Amino acid sequence: MSVRTKTSLELFRLKKTLNTLAKKEGRGTELISMYVPPGKQISDAINMLRDEYGTASNIKSTTTRKNVMDAIVKVQQRLKLYKEPPPNGLVIFCGAIPQNGPGSERIETYEIEPPEPIRVYLYRCDARFHTEYLQEMLREKEVYGILLVDASEATLATLQGRRLEIIRNLNSGVPGKTRAGGQSARRYERLRDMRLQEYFTRVGQHANEAFLPLENFKGLILGGPGPTKLDFEKGDYLNYMLKDKILDVIDTAYVEEQGVKEVVEKAPEIMRKIRYIEEKKVMQQFLYEIGHDTGLVTYGEEDVRRALQAGAVRILLLSDELAMSRVTLKCNACGYQEQRTVKNQELVSLQQSLSGQPCPKCKAPALAVAETQDLIDDLAQIAEYTNAEVEVISGETEEGQMLKNSFGGVAAILRFKMQG
Ligand SMILES: [Zn+2]
């Protein structure tokens, strides 16, 4: 994976995988998590596993011992396929997972190339998989700038994941609104205004220097008590590139560290809001095309699939609440195949209904489910072949609900019109 911003789909997939893995439980302490960071020698990792294999031979329970040793061997085999770790390192989860009650364990192996370089080198054998380092990483990627301003001072900070860093605190030097006796009111006002502008300019310069060069800089949150922050925002104090990246303007009671903490408390909400805005934008684009009858949209699984296969899709919109699967049925007698889309909750009943059903081609009662794939992954795969963008849209905005309820959760903005 190269260095580029993760798409909503990649993040959705990784999150989904990690959530699934985090829920898996071993019968005993027998699930292995192995993190190999970039730059580490694969041979070191394999040697470490050899030692662990030796230690595992002392485990009392026969089943646990066998499961742990099997898992270690599996991880070693996977590692041997690499000359060196991939650019961001490698994470392997492996262990015996009960499939259907006790005694039904089967070794499952998951190999993940992290979206960013991992720093930890670790081996864990536990009753669960240690996914938290990767989950943390998903949260930690982006950097947000925080800028609090009022007439007396300003604070600049960055927030990355849960890491908060105060960069600078500036004093305005602007005198208060009430003047000392003897000065002319107008002169005082003008002086104060000048000082305020100087101060805003200074704040702007510091903000430009602090935030613009940041890697993975997602945007700026502007805050402070009262209307000063709005005056600051309106003026030309921030570089236009930074101004473009103001994500939100919020009220805080304080301007100092305490104010920054107020922002951090609201941060998850702010970030959700930002993603909502992105989702709303792309959905509104879709609705615009529909409303103006441009012919550059389509929706519903079948039509979208056809458009995807024709390479006509520019942006594929998928509701993250789809909960559907693409199932491949195969006849074990004649090899006949067909694909169907079913709701996830109907997978079991589909399987049951197949027994005894005749194959449409050879009439033998030999139909079985050969493959099941999440519908989102299935469609996204076709999108990837044709370089379509994929947006996984949450159901948490009105537009997201509309995608799910009015358009079957699958829609597309097209590159060109499709022939009727
Ligand atoms: Zn058949």
Side-chain angles (χ1 to χ4, degrees):
M1 258 178 263
S2 60
V3 191
R4 63 192 171 89
T5 25
K6 294 267 114 187
T7 62
S8 63
L9 172 73
E10 285 169 289
L11 290 177
F12 170 82
R13 274 188 189 156
L14 186 55
K15 265 183 216 160
K16 205 175 69 171
T17 310
L18 292 177
N19 286 342
T20 319
L21 288 177
K23 277 184 223 136
K24 290 188 186 283
E25 274 175 45
R27 204 191 45 92
T29 306
E30 52 193 50
L31 303 188
I32 289 172
S33 310
M34 178 98 198
Y35 284 67
V36 186
K40 194 83 200 168
Q41 300 281 339
I42 290 284
S43 56
D44 285 353
I46 290 173
N47 287 338
M48 182 208 229
L49 287 171
R50 191 173 303 139
D51 293 344
E52 293 294 343
Y53 189 87
T55 313
S57 62
N58 300 322
I59 297 172
K60 284 207 185 81
S61 149
T62 332
T63 323
T64 304
R65 183 172 63 233
K66 185 182 176 307
N67 285 342
V68 172
M69 292 172 101
D70 284 355
I72 292 176
V73 172
K74 272 261 163 73
V75 177
Q76 278 178 323
Q77 285 168 349
R78 288 292 177 109
L79 284 174
K80 279 179 187 156
L81 300 174
Y82 291 85
K83 265 213 194 90
E84 54 183 39
N88 290 337
L90 183 66
V91 183
I92 301 175
F93 300 107
C94 181
I97 304 290
Q99 308 290 319
N100 235 327
S104 66
E105 293 87 32
R106 207 174 58 201
I107 297 258
E108 293 181 13
T109 313
Y110 300 88
E111 212 172 296
I112 295 172
E113 282 190 34
E116 269 178 75
I118 46 169
R119 272 158 269 152
V120 282
Y121 174 46
L122 70 81
Y123 166 90
R124 287 263 192 295
C125 184
D126 206 337
R128 65 180 180 91
F129 289 128
H130 285 259
T131 55
E132 59 272 21
Y133 301 95
L134 286 173
Q135 281 175 315
E136 196 99 313
M137 174 180 282
L138 286 182
R139 281 193 293 269
E140 267 192 6
K141 231 172 44 101
E142 290 153 345
V143 188
Y144 294 84
I146 299 172
L147 175 56
L148 305 180
V149 197
D150 75 359
S152 62
E153 57 186 312
T155 303
L156 284 74
T158 54
L159 177 66
Q160 183 172 25
R162 282 182 231 145
R163 253 200 328 277
L164 177 68
E165 200 186 327
I166 310 270
I167 300 173
R168 188 178 283 274
N169 185 266
L170 299 159
N171 271 308
S172 73
V174 177
K177 275 194 173 153
T178 42
R179 67 198 159 104
Q183 280 174 298
S184 116
R186 207 192 291 159
R187 193 180 125 80
Y188 183 83
E189 218 16 72
R190 212 169 47 222
L191 193 78
R192 188 175 183 277
D193 236 40
M194 231 170 63
R195 288 273 188 83
L196 197 61
Q197 290 216 12
E198 277 167 16
Y199 159 65
F200 279 174
T201 307
R202 206 152 39 97
V203 172
Q205 276 166 356
H206 280 294
N208 294 338
E209 279 167 30
F211 299 130
L212 278 176
L214 288 178
E215 221 179 298
N216 294 323
F217 183 67
K218 181 81 178 169
L220 183 65
I221 299 157
L222 189 59
T228 310
K229 58 181 177 292
L230 301 174
D231 295 337
F232 177 78
E233 189 196 10
K234 264 182 255 150
D236 278 326
Y237 306 107
L238 291 175
N239 180 299
Y240 72 97
M241 284 189 285
L242 191 55
K243 211 170 166 179
D244 267 356
K245 288 202 160 182
I246 295 180
L247 300 167
D248 208 355
V249 181
I250 63 170
D251 279 312
T252 61
Y254 301 92
V255 233
E256 290 159 68
E257 195 174 338
Q258 236 177 316
V260 176
K261 286 191 175 139
E262 286 178 64
V263 176
V264 174
E265 264 167 46
K266 290 180 190 161
E269 200 187 309
I270 295 169
M271 274 152 223
R272 227 175 299 137
K273 199 161 109 191
I274 293 161
R275 175 62 196 154
Y276 289 171
I277 295 167
E278 291 173 352
E279 291 181 2
K280 268 175 175 292
K281 253 193 212 157
V282 66
M283 274 306 293
Q284 273 157 6
Q285 203 184 334
F286 169 77
L287 294 171
Y288 173 91
E289 303 287 349
I290 285 214
H292 290 74
D293 207 13
T294 59
L296 290 176
V297 280
T298 187
Y299 54 88
E301 190 211 333
E302 262 178 62
D303 287 350
V304 169
R305 188 182 291 278
R306 209 172 306 131
L308 275 170
Q309 279 158 347
V313 174
R314 187 158 67 82
I315 306 175
L316 173 65
L317 303 165
L318 297 166
S319 165
D320 74 348
E321 295 176 3
L322 260 180
M324 288 187 160
S325 292
R326 186 74 171 163
V327 180
T328 308
L329 300 181
K330 198 175 166 187
C331 169
N332 288 324
C334 73
Y336 165 86
Q337 276 196 19
E338 70 171 66
Q339 291 195 308
R340 281 189 208 173
T341 301
V342 292
K343 289 185 183 141
N344 286 349
Q345 73 228 36
E346 287 165 6
L347 274 171
V348 177
S349 63
L350 169 74
Q351 220 136 7
Q352 285 165 349
S353 75
L354 285 179
S355 70
Q357 223 187 89
C359 159
K361 198 174 160 201
C362 74
K363 309 289 179 232
L367 282 178
V369 172
E371 206 194 317
T372 306
Q373 194 178 23
D374 195 286
L375 184 61
I376 290 181
D377 284 332
D378 173 59
L379 291 172
Q381 234 166 40
I382 317 176
E384 278 170 359
Y385 294 142
T386 54
N387 274 323
E389 268 174 59
V390 183
E391 291 284 351
V392 179
I393 310 273
S394 74
E396 290 170 60
T397 60
E398 202 184 314
E399 286 84 353
Q401 279 301 315
M402 213 186 275
L403 174 64
K404 187 183 149 215
N405 299 324
S406 312
F407 301 104
V410 182
I413 301 175
L414 302 179
R415 292 187 173 117
F416 51 82
K417 281 191 200 182
M418 296 275 291
Q419 301 300 328

